[in-house]
Amino acid sequence: MDKEPKDVRLPIMVTQQEATAIDDWRFEHRVPTRAEAIRQLIALGLQSKR
């Protein structure tokens, strides 16, 4: 992933279903933290829009 400092906090609320989907994706892809999983999912979403 990017080596840029992670110094911007973006508090968000998600549904239980969304949290479960994020956690399922995280474990399937062996991502160490939920925050990193969310960053990777955002990057994937942004790439798909290009």
Side-chain angles (χ1 to χ4, degrees):
M1 291 301 304
D2 194 2
K3 299 297 180 196
E4 192 175 341
K6 295 168 184 73
D7 56 357
V8 177
R9 185 176 296 269
L10 295 175
I12 63 168
M13 299 290 291
V14 298
T15 66
Q16 183 59 53
Q17 184 177 358
E18 291 166 332
T20 298
I22 292 166
D23 288 340
D24 289 348
W25 186 92
R26 171 188 167 201
F27 292 121
E28 287 174 23
H29 292 86
R30 297 177 174 234
V31 177
T33 66
R34 184 184 271 175
E36 181 59 28
I38 292 168
R39 282 191 291 272
Q40 289 184 28
L41 287 165
I42 290 169
L44 287 169
L46 291 171
Q47 287 174 4
S48 75
K49 289 299 222 176
R50 290 185 185 158

